[in-house]
Coordinates of all heavy atoms in Angstrom, one line a residue:
M163 N 118.1 -30.6 -95.3 CA 118.5 -31.8 -96.1 C 119.8 -31.4 -96.8 O 119.9 -30.4 -97.5 CB 117.4 -32.0 -97.2 CG 117.5 -33.3 -97.9 SD 116.1 -33.7 -98.9 CE 116.7 -35.2 -99.7
T164 N 120.7 -32.3 -96.7 CA 122.1 -32.0 -97.2 C 122.2 -32.4 -98.7 O 121.8 -33.6 -99.0 CB 123.1 -32.8 -96.4 OG1 123.1 -32.4 -95.1 CG2 124.5 -32.5 -97.0
Q165 N 122.6 -31.6 -99.6 CA 122.8 -31.9 -101.0 C 124.0 -32.8 -101.1 O 125.1 -32.5 -100.6 CB 122.9 -30.7 -101.8 CG 123.1 -31.0 -103.2 CD 121.7 -31.4 -103.9 OE1 121.1 -32.3 -103.6 NE2 121.2 -30.5 -104.8
L166 N 123.9 -33.9 -101.8 CA 125.0 -34.7 -102.1 C 126.0 -34.1 -103.0 O 125.6 -33.3 -103.9 CB 124.6 -36.1 -102.6 CG 123.7 -36.9 -101.8 CD1 123.2 -38.1 -102.5 CD2 124.5 -37.5 -100.6
E167 N 127.2 -34.3 -102.8 CA 128.3 -33.8 -103.7 C 128.5 -34.8 -104.9 O 128.2 -36.1 -104.7 CB 129.6 -33.6 -103.0 CG 129.5 -32.5 -102.0 CD 130.8 -32.2 -101.3 OE1 131.8 -32.7 -101.8 OE2 130.8 -31.5 -100.3
C168 N 129.0 -34.4 -106.0 CA 129.3 -35.2 -107.1 C 130.1 -36.5 -106.8 O 129.8 -37.6 -107.2 CB 129.9 -34.4 -108.2 SG 128.9 -33.1 -108.9
K169 N 131.2 -36.2 -106.0 CA 132.0 -37.4 -105.7 C 131.3 -38.4 -104.8 O 131.6 -39.5 -104.9 CB 133.3 -36.8 -105.0 CG 133.0 -36.2 -103.6 CD 134.3 -35.6 -103.0 CE 134.0 -34.9 -101.6 NZ 135.3 -34.4 -101.1
E170 N 130.3 -37.9 -104.1 CA 129.5 -38.9 -103.3 C 128.6 -39.7 -104.2 O 128.4 -40.8 -104.0 CB 128.7 -38.1 -102.2 CG 129.5 -37.5 -101.1 CD 128.6 -36.7 -100.2 OE1 128.0 -35.8 -100.6 OE2 128.7 -37.1 -99.0
I171 N 128.1 -39.0 -105.3 CA 127.3 -39.8 -106.2 C 128.2 -40.8 -106.9 O 127.8 -42.0 -107.0 CB 126.8 -38.8 -107.3 CG1 125.9 -37.7 -106.7 CG2 126.1 -39.6 -108.5 CD1 124.7 -38.3 -106.1
F172 N 129.4 -40.4 -107.3 CA 130.3 -41.4 -107.9 C 130.5 -42.6 -107.0 O 130.7 -43.8 -107.4 CB 131.5 -40.7 -108.4 CG 131.4 -39.7 -109.4 CD1 132.4 -38.8 -109.6 CD2 130.2 -39.6 -110.2 CE1 132.2 -37.8 -110.6 CE2 130.0 -38.7 -111.1 CZ 131.0 -37.8 -111.3
A173 N 130.8 -42.2 -105.7 CA 131.1 -43.3 -104.7 C 129.9 -44.2 -104.6 O 130.1 -45.5 -104.5 CB 131.4 -42.7 -103.4
M174 N 128.7 -43.7 -104.5 CA 127.5 -44.5 -104.4 C 127.3 -45.4 -105.6 O 126.9 -46.6 -105.5 CB 126.3 -43.7 -104.2 CG 126.3 -43.0 -102.9 SD 124.8 -42.0 -102.7 CE 125.0 -41.5 -101.0
L175 N 127.6 -44.8 -106.8 CA 127.5 -45.7 -108.0 C 128.5 -46.8 -108.0 O 128.3 -47.9 -108.5 CB 127.7 -44.8 -109.3 CG 126.5 -43.9 -109.6 CD1 126.8 -42.9 -110.7 CD2 125.3 -44.7 -109.9
S176 N 129.7 -46.5 -107.4 CA 130.7 -47.6 -107.3 C 130.1 -48.7 -106.4 O 130.3 -49.9 -106.6 CB 131.9 -46.9 -106.7 OG 132.9 -48.0 -106.4
Q177 N 129.5 -48.3 -105.2 CA 128.9 -49.3 -104.4 C 127.9 -50.1 -105.2 O 127.7 -51.3 -104.9 CB 128.3 -48.6 -103.2 CG 129.2 -48.1 -102.2 CD 128.6 -47.5 -101.0 OE1 127.7 -46.7 -101.1 NE2 128.9 -48.0 -99.8
Y178 N 127.1 -49.4 -106.0 CA 126.1 -50.1 -106.8 C 126.7 -51.2 -107.7 O 126.2 -52.2 -107.9 CB 125.4 -49.1 -107.6 CG 124.4 -49.8 -108.6 CD1 123.2 -50.3 -108.1 CD2 124.7 -49.7 -109.9 CE1 122.4 -50.9 -109.0 CE2 123.8 -50.3 -110.8 CZ 122.7 -50.9 -110.4 OH 121.8 -51.5 -111.2
L179 N 127.9 -50.9 -108.2 CA 128.6 -51.8 -109.0 C 128.8 -53.1 -108.2 O 128.9 -54.2 -108.8 CB 129.9 -51.4 -109.5 CG 129.8 -50.2 -110.4 CD1 131.2 -49.7 -110.9 CD2 129.0 -50.5 -111.7
D180 N 128.9 -53.0 -106.9 CA 129.2 -54.1 -106.0 C 127.9 -54.7 -105.5 O 127.8 -55.4 -104.5 CB 130.1 -53.8 -104.9 CG 131.5 -53.4 -105.4 OD1 131.9 -54.0 -106.5 OD2 132.1 -52.7 -104.8
R181 N 126.7 -54.1 -106.0 CA 125.4 -54.6 -105.5 C 125.1 -54.2 -104.1 O 124.5 -55.0 -103.4 CB 125.2 -56.1 -105.7 CG 125.7 -56.6 -107.1 CD 124.7 -56.3 -108.1 NE 125.0 -57.0 -109.3 CZ 124.5 -58.2 -109.7 NH1 123.6 -58.7 -108.8 NH2 124.8 -58.8 -110.8
E182 N 125.5 -53.1 -103.6 CA 125.3 -52.8 -102.3 C 124.5 -51.5 -102.0 O 124.4 -51.0 -101.0 CB 126.7 -52.5 -101.6 CG 127.5 -53.8 -101.4 CD 128.9 -53.6 -100.8 OE1 129.2 -52.4 -100.6 OE2 129.6 -54.5 -100.7
L183 N 123.9 -51.0 -103.1 CA 123.2 -49.8 -103.1 C 121.7 -50.0 -102.9 O 121.0 -50.5 -103.8 CB 123.4 -49.0 -104.4 CG 123.0 -47.5 -104.4 CD1 123.9 -46.8 -103.3 CD2 123.4 -46.9 -105.8
P184 N 121.1 -49.6 -101.8 CA 119.7 -49.7 -101.5 C 118.9 -48.8 -102.3 O 119.4 -47.7 -102.7 CB 119.6 -49.5 -100.0 CG 120.7 -48.7 -99.7 CD 121.8 -49.0 -100.6
G185 N 117.6 -49.0 -102.5 CA 116.7 -48.2 -103.3 C 116.7 -46.8 -102.8 O 116.5 -45.9 -103.6
D186 N 116.6 -46.6 -101.5 CA 116.5 -45.1 -101.1 C 117.7 -44.3 -101.5 O 117.6 -43.1 -101.6 CB 116.2 -45.1 -99.5 CG 117.4 -45.7 -98.8 OD1 118.1 -46.6 -99.3 OD2 117.5 -45.3 -97.6
V187 N 118.9 -45.0 -101.6 CA 120.0 -44.3 -102.0 C 119.9 -43.9 -103.5 O 120.3 -42.9 -103.9 CB 121.3 -45.1 -101.8 CG1 122.5 -44.4 -102.3 CG2 121.4 -45.3 -100.3
C188 N 119.3 -44.8 -104.2 CA 119.0 -44.5 -105.7 C 118.2 -43.2 -105.7 O 118.5 -42.4 -106.6 CB 118.2 -45.6 -106.3 SG 119.2 -47.1 -106.8
D189 N 117.2 -43.1 -104.8 CA 116.4 -41.8 -104.9 C 117.3 -40.6 -104.6 O 117.1 -39.6 -105.2 CB 115.3 -41.9 -103.8 CG 114.3 -42.9 -104.1 OD1 114.2 -43.3 -105.4 OD2 113.5 -43.4 -103.3
Q190 N 118.1 -40.8 -103.6 CA 119.1 -39.6 -103.3 C 119.9 -39.2 -104.5 O 120.1 -38.0 -104.8 CB 119.9 -40.0 -102.1 CG 119.2 -39.9 -100.8 CD 120.2 -40.1 -99.6 OE1 120.7 -41.2 -99.4 NE2 120.5 -39.0 -98.9
I191 N 120.4 -40.2 -105.1 CA 121.3 -40.0 -106.3 C 120.5 -39.3 -107.3 O 121.0 -38.3 -108.0 CB 121.8 -41.4 -106.8 CG1 122.9 -41.9 -105.8 CG2 122.4 -41.2 -108.2 CD1 123.3 -43.3 -106.2
W192 N 119.3 -39.7 -107.6 CA 118.5 -39.0 -108.6 C 118.2 -37.6 -108.2 O 118.1 -36.7 -109.1 CB 117.2 -39.8 -108.9 CG 117.6 -40.8 -109.9 CD1 117.9 -42.1 -109.8 CD2 117.8 -40.5 -111.3 NE1 118.3 -42.6 -111.0 CE2 118.2 -41.7 -111.9 CE3 117.7 -39.3 -112.1 CZ2 118.5 -41.7 -113.3 CZ3 118.0 -39.3 -113.4 CH2 118.4 -40.6 -114.0
Q193 N 117.9 -37.4 -106.9 CA 117.6 -36.0 -106.5 C 118.8 -35.0 -106.8 O 118.6 -33.9 -107.3 CB 117.3 -35.9 -105.1 CG 115.9 -36.4 -104.7 CD 115.6 -36.5 -103.2 OE1 116.4 -35.9 -102.5 NE2 114.6 -37.2 -102.9
H194 N 120.0 -35.5 -106.7 CA 121.1 -34.8 -107.0 C 121.4 -34.6 -108.5 O 121.5 -33.5 -109.0 CB 122.4 -35.4 -106.4 CG 123.7 -34.8 -106.8 ND1 124.4 -33.9 -106.0 CD2 124.4 -34.9 -108.0 CE1 125.4 -33.5 -106.7 NE2 125.5 -34.1 -107.8
I195 N 121.3 -35.7 -109.2 CA 121.6 -35.7 -110.6 C 120.6 -34.8 -111.3 O 121.0 -34.1 -112.3 CB 121.5 -37.2 -111.2 CG1 122.7 -37.9 -110.6 CG2 121.5 -37.1 -112.7 CD1 122.7 -39.4 -111.0
N196 N 119.3 -34.8 -110.9 CA 118.4 -33.9 -111.6 C 118.7 -32.5 -111.6 O 118.2 -31.7 -112.4 CB 117.0 -34.1 -110.9 CG 116.4 -35.4 -111.3 OD1 116.7 -36.0 -112.4 ND2 115.4 -35.9 -110.5
G197 N 119.6 -32.1 -110.6 CA 119.9 -30.7 -110.5 C 121.4 -30.4 -110.8 O 121.9 -29.3 -110.4
C198 N 122.1 -31.3 -111.4 CA 123.5 -31.3 -111.5 C 124.0 -31.6 -112.9 O 124.2 -32.8 -113.2 CB 124.2 -32.1 -110.4 SG 126.0 -31.9 -110.4
P199 N 124.1 -30.7 -113.8 CA 124.6 -31.1 -115.2 C 125.8 -31.9 -115.3 O 125.8 -32.8 -116.1 CB 124.8 -29.7 -115.8 CG 123.8 -28.7 -115.0 CD 123.8 -29.3 -113.7
P200 N 126.9 -31.6 -114.5 CA 128.0 -32.5 -114.6 C 127.7 -34.0 -114.4 O 128.2 -34.9 -115.1 CB 129.0 -32.0 -113.6 CG 128.6 -30.6 -113.4 CD 127.1 -30.5 -113.6
C201 N 126.8 -34.2 -113.4 CA 126.4 -35.6 -113.1 C 125.6 -36.1 -114.2 O 125.6 -37.4 -114.5 CB 125.7 -35.7 -111.7 SG 126.9 -35.7 -110.3
V202 N 124.8 -35.3 -114.8 CA 124.0 -35.8 -115.9 C 124.8 -36.3 -117.0 O 124.6 -37.4 -117.5 CB 123.0 -34.7 -116.4 CG1 122.3 -35.2 -117.8 CG2 122.0 -34.3 -115.4
E203 N 125.9 -35.6 -117.2 CA 126.8 -36.0 -118.4 C 127.4 -37.3 -118.0 O 127.6 -38.2 -118.8 CB 127.8 -34.9 -118.6 CG 127.3 -33.8 -119.2 CD 126.7 -34.0 -120.6 OE1 127.3 -34.7 -121.4 OE2 125.6 -33.5 -120.9
F204 N 127.8 -37.4 -116.7 CA 128.4 -38.7 -116.2 C 127.5 -39.8 -116.3 O 127.9 -40.9 -116.9 CB 128.9 -38.4 -114.8 CG 129.5 -39.7 -114.2 CD1 130.7 -40.2 -114.6 CD2 128.8 -40.5 -113.3 CE1 131.2 -41.3 -114.1 CE2 129.3 -41.6 -112.7 CZ 130.5 -42.1 -113.2
V205 N 126.3 -39.6 -115.9 CA 125.4 -40.7 -115.9 C 125.0 -41.2 -117.3 O 124.5 -42.3 -117.5 CB 124.2 -40.3 -115.0 CG1 123.0 -41.3 -115.2 CG2 124.6 -40.3 -113.5
K206 N 125.0 -40.3 -118.2 CA 124.7 -40.6 -119.6 C 125.5 -41.9 -120.0 O 125.2 -42.7 -120.7 CB 124.9 -39.5 -120.5 CG 123.8 -38.5 -120.5 CD 124.1 -37.4 -121.6 CE 123.0 -36.4 -121.6 NZ 123.3 -35.2 -122.4
S207 N 126.7 -41.9 -119.5 CA 127.7 -43.1 -119.8 C 127.2 -44.3 -119.0 O 127.7 -45.3 -119.2 CB 129.1 -42.7 -119.5 OG 129.3 -42.6 -118.1
L208 N 126.3 -44.1 -118.0 CA 125.9 -45.2 -117.3 C 124.4 -45.4 -117.5 O 123.6 -45.7 -116.5 CB 126.1 -45.0 -115.8 CG 127.6 -44.9 -115.5 CD1 127.8 -44.6 -114.0 CD2 128.3 -46.3 -115.7
E209 N 124.0 -45.2 -118.6 CA 122.5 -45.2 -118.9 C 121.8 -46.4 -118.5 O 120.7 -46.4 -117.9 CB 122.3 -45.0 -120.5 CG 121.0 -44.2 -120.7 CD 121.0 -43.7 -122.1 OE1 122.1 -43.4 -122.8 OE2 119.9 -43.6 -122.7
K210 N 122.4 -47.5 -118.6 CA 121.9 -48.8 -118.3 C 121.6 -48.9 -116.8 O 120.5 -49.2 -116.3 CB 122.8 -49.9 -118.6 CG 122.3 -50.8 -119.7 CD 123.2 -52.0 -119.9 CE 123.9 -52.0 -121.1 NZ 124.7 -53.3 -121.3
T211 N 122.6 -48.4 -116.0 CA 122.5 -48.4 -114.6 C 121.3 -47.5 -114.1 O 120.6 -47.8 -113.3 CB 123.8 -47.8 -113.9 OG1 124.9 -48.6 -114.4 CG2 123.7 -47.8 -112.5
V212 N 121.3 -46.3 -114.8 CA 120.3 -45.4 -114.4 C 118.8 -46.0 -114.6 O 118.0 -45.9 -113.7 CB 120.4 -44.1 -115.3 CG1 119.2 -43.2 -115.0 CG2 121.7 -43.4 -114.9
A213 N 118.6 -46.6 -115.7 CA 117.4 -47.2 -116.0 C 117.0 -48.2 -115.0 O 115.9 -48.3 -114.5 CB 117.4 -47.8 -117.4
L214 N 117.9 -49.1 -114.7 CA 117.7 -50.2 -113.7 C 117.4 -49.6 -112.3 O 116.6 -50.1 -111.6 CB 118.9 -51.1 -113.7 CG 119.0 -51.9 -115.0 CD1 120.4 -52.6 -115.0 CD2 117.9 -53.0 -115.0
C215 N 118.2 -48.5 -112.0 CA 118.1 -48.0 -110.7 C 116.7 -47.4 -110.5 O 116.2 -47.5 -109.4 CB 119.1 -46.8 -110.5 SG 119.4 -46.3 -108.9
R216 N 116.1 -46.9 -111.5 CA 114.8 -46.3 -111.3 C 113.7 -47.3 -111.4 O 112.6 -47.0 -110.8 CB 114.6 -45.2 -112.4 CG 115.3 -43.9 -112.1 CD 114.9 -42.8 -113.0 NE 115.1 -43.1 -114.4 CZ 114.9 -42.2 -115.4 NH1 114.3 -41.1 -115.1 NH2 115.1 -42.5 -116.6
E217 N 113.9 -48.3 -112.2 CA 112.7 -49.1 -112.6 C 112.6 -50.5 -111.9 O 111.6 -51.1 -111.9 CB 112.7 -49.3 -114.1 CG 112.5 -47.9 -114.8 CD 112.7 -48.0 -116.3 OE1 112.9 -49.2 -116.7 OE2 112.7 -47.0 -117.0
V218 N 113.8 -51.0 -111.4 CA 113.9 -52.3 -111.0 C 114.3 -52.4 -109.5 O 115.2 -51.8 -109.2 CB 114.9 -53.1 -111.8 CG1 114.8 -54.6 -111.3 CG2 114.5 -53.0 -113.2
P219 N 113.5 -53.0 -108.7 CA 113.9 -53.2 -107.2 C 115.3 -53.8 -107.2 O 115.6 -54.7 -108.0 CB 112.8 -54.1 -106.7 CG 111.7 -54.0 -107.6 CD 112.2 -53.7 -108.9
F220 N 116.1 -53.4 -106.3 CA 117.5 -53.7 -106.2 C 117.6 -55.2 -106.2 O 118.5 -55.8 -106.9 CB 118.1 -53.1 -104.9 CG 119.5 -53.4 -104.8 CD1 120.5 -52.8 -105.6 CD2 120.0 -54.4 -103.9 CE1 121.9 -53.2 -105.5 CE2 121.3 -54.8 -103.8 CZ 122.2 -54.1 -104.6
S221 N 116.9 -55.9 -105.4 CA 117.1 -57.4 -105.2 C 116.8 -58.1 -106.5 O 117.1 -59.3 -106.6 CB 116.2 -57.9 -104.1 OG 114.9 -57.6 -104.4
E222 N 116.1 -57.5 -107.4 CA 115.7 -58.2 -108.6 C 116.5 -57.8 -109.8 O 116.3 -58.3 -111.0 CB 114.2 -57.8 -109.0 CG 113.2 -58.3 -107.9 CD 111.9 -57.9 -108.3 OE1 111.6 -57.5 -109.4 OE2 111.1 -57.9 -107.3
R223 N 117.5 -57.0 -109.6 CA 118.4 -56.5 -110.7 C 119.2 -57.6 -111.2 O 119.9 -58.3 -110.5 CB 119.2 -55.4 -110.4 CG 118.4 -54.1 -110.3 CD 119.2 -52.9 -109.9 NE 118.4 -52.0 -109.3 CZ 118.7 -51.1 -108.4 NH1 119.9 -51.2 -107.8 NH2 117.9 -50.3 -107.8
P224 N 119.3 -57.8 -112.5 CA 120.3 -58.7 -113.1 C 121.7 -57.9 -113.1 O 121.7 -56.7 -112.7 CB 119.8 -58.9 -114.6 CG 119.1 -57.6 -114.9 CD 118.5 -57.1 -113.5
T225 N 122.6 -58.6 -113.6 CA 123.9 -57.9 -113.8 C 123.7 -56.6 -114.5 O 123.3 -56.6 -115.7 CB 124.9 -58.8 -114.5 OG1 125.1 -60.0 -113.8 CG2 126.3 -58.1 -114.6
P226 N 123.9 -55.4 -113.9 CA 123.4 -54.1 -114.5 C 124.4 -53.5 -115.4 O 124.0 -52.7 -116.3 CB 123.3 -53.3 -113.2 CG 124.3 -53.8 -112.3 CD 124.5 -55.3 -112.6
L227 N 125.7 -53.8 -115.4 CA 126.7 -53.0 -116.1 C 127.5 -53.9 -117.0 O 128.0 -54.9 -116.5 CB 127.5 -52.2 -115.2 CG 126.9 -51.1 -114.4 CD1 127.9 -50.5 -113.5 CD2 126.5 -50.0 -115.4
G228 N 127.7 -53.4 -118.1 CA 128.7 -54.1 -119.0 C 130.1 -53.6 -118.7 O 130.4 -52.7 -117.9
E229 N 131.1 -54.2 -119.3 CA 132.5 -53.9 -119.0 C 132.8 -52.4 -119.4 O 133.6 -51.7 -118.7 CB 133.4 -54.8 -119.8 CG 133.5 -56.2 -119.2 CD 134.0 -56.2 -117.7 OE1 135.0 -55.5 -117.5 OE2 133.4 -56.9 -116.9
D230 N 132.2 -52.0 -120.4 CA 132.4 -50.6 -120.9 C 132.0 -49.6 -119.8 O 132.8 -48.6 -119.5 CB 131.7 -50.4 -122.2 CG 132.0 -49.0 -122.7 OD1 133.1 -48.7 -123.0 OD2 131.0 -48.2 -122.8
A231 N 130.9 -49.7 -119.3 CA 130.3 -48.8 -118.3 C 131.2 -48.9 -117.0 O 131.5 -47.9 -116.4 CB 128.9 -49.1 -117.9
L232 N 131.7 -50.1 -116.6 CA 132.4 -50.1 -115.5 C 133.8 -49.5 -115.7 O 134.3 -48.8 -114.8 CB 132.7 -51.7 -115.3 CG 133.5 -52.0 -114.0 CD1 132.6 -51.5 -112.8 CD2 133.6 -53.6 -113.9
E233 N 134.4 -49.6 -116.9 CA 135.6 -48.9 -117.2 C 135.5 -47.4 -117.1 O 136.3 -46.7 -116.5 CB 136.2 -49.3 -118.5 CG 136.7 -50.8 -118.5 CD 137.7 -51.0 -117.4 OE1 138.7 -50.2 -117.3 OE2 137.6 -52.0 -116.7
R234 N 134.3 -46.9 -117.6 CA 134.1 -45.5 -117.5 C 134.0 -45.0 -116.1 O 134.5 -43.9 -115.7 CB 132.8 -45.2 -118.2 CG 132.9 -45.2 -119.8 CD 131.4 -45.1 -120.3 NE 131.4 -45.1 -121.7 CZ 131.4 -44.0 -122.5 NH1 131.4 -42.8 -121.9 NH2 131.4 -43.9 -123.8
L235 N 133.3 -45.8 -115.3 CA 133.2 -45.3 -113.9 C 134.6 -45.4 -113.2 O 134.9 -44.4 -112.4 CB 132.3 -46.3 -113.2 CG 131.9 -45.9 -111.7 CD1 131.2 -44.6 -111.7 CD2 131.0 -47.0 -111.0
K236 N 135.3 -46.3 -113.4 CA 136.7 -46.4 -112.8 C 137.5 -45.2 -113.3 O 138.2 -44.6 -112.5 CB 137.4 -47.7 -113.2 CG 136.8 -48.9 -112.5 CD 137.5 -50.1 -113.0 CE 137.0 -51.4 -112.2 NZ 137.6 -52.6 -112.7
A237 N 137.4 -44.9 -114.5 CA 138.1 -43.7 -115.0 C 137.7 -42.5 -114.4 O 138.6 -41.6 -114.0 CB 137.9 -43.6 -116.6
A238 N 136.5 -42.3 -114.1 CA 135.9 -41.1 -113.4 C 136.5 -41.0 -112.0 O 136.8 -39.9 -111.6 CB 134.4 -41.1 -113.4
F239 N 136.6 -42.1 -111.4 CA 137.1 -42.1 -110.0 C 138.6 -41.7 -110.0 O 139.1 -41.0 -109.1 CB 137.0 -43.4 -109.4 CG 135.8 -43.6 -108.6 CD1 134.7 -44.4 -109.1 CD2 135.7 -43.0 -107.4 CE1 133.6 -44.6 -108.3 CE2 134.5 -43.2 -106.7 CZ 133.5 -43.9 -107.1
Q240 N 139.3 -42.0 -111.0 CA 140.8 -41.8 -111.0 C 141.1 -40.3 -111.4 O 142.3 -40.0 -111.4 CB 141.4 -42.8 -112.0 CG 141.4 -44.1 -111.3 CD 141.6 -45.3 -112.4 OE1 141.9 -45.0 -113.5 NE2 141.6 -46.5 -112.0
K241 N 140.1 -39.5 -111.8 CA 140.4 -38.2 -112.2 C 140.9 -37.3 -111.0 O 140.3 -37.5 -109.9 CB 139.2 -37.6 -112.8 CG 139.0 -37.9 -114.2 CD 137.8 -37.3 -114.8 CE 137.6 -37.7 -116.2 NZ 136.3 -37.3 -116.8
Ligands
ZN379 ZN1 126.8 -33.7 -109.3

């Protein structure tokens, strides 16, 4: 089983912003984040996303991110 890299996590979260992230990918993301402190720190800024990813089926999610979280994610990508 291949461990995802942090940049892949960020990329997947970006897809999620576009509503394209399936539930099994959410699981993969969580498996990575649980063992990766840098990603934990990053995801803290996306707390809303995280909660929705774990608790709500993808097709039922409302608009998950506020502008603030979106800007944080974009900033992370540009590093
Ligand atoms: Zn990571």
Side-chain angles (χ1 to χ4, degrees):
M163 191 169 176
T164 303
Q165 182 76 294
L166 294 171
E167 295 182 13
C168 296
K169 64 184 179 182
E170 292 178 300
I171 299 299
F172 296 163
M174 287 179 180
L175 287 174
S176 176
Q177 287 184 306
Y178 173 69
L179 295 180
D180 295 330
R181 313 286 193 93
E182 293 177 356
L183 193 61
D186 61 337
V187 177
C188 281
D189 291 341
Q190 284 188 287
I191 289 174
W192 271 101
Q193 284 175 14
H194 173 98
I195 289 172
N196 284 337
C198 185
C201 279
V202 171
E203 290 301 313
F204 175 73
V205 168
K206 278 180 182 174
S207 69
L208 295 172
E209 210 166 331
K210 247 191 247 180
T211 305
V212 171
L214 289 168
C215 194
R216 283 194 297 183
E217 296 170 8
V218 183
F220 180 77
S221 59
E222 296 177 13
R223 281 177 209 148
T225 302
L227 289 174
E229 287 299 316
D230 182 61
L232 187 59
E233 289 304 312
R234 284 170 176 268
L235 187 61
K236 285 178 178 175
F239 266 108
Q240 288 163 1
K241 279 181 183 172

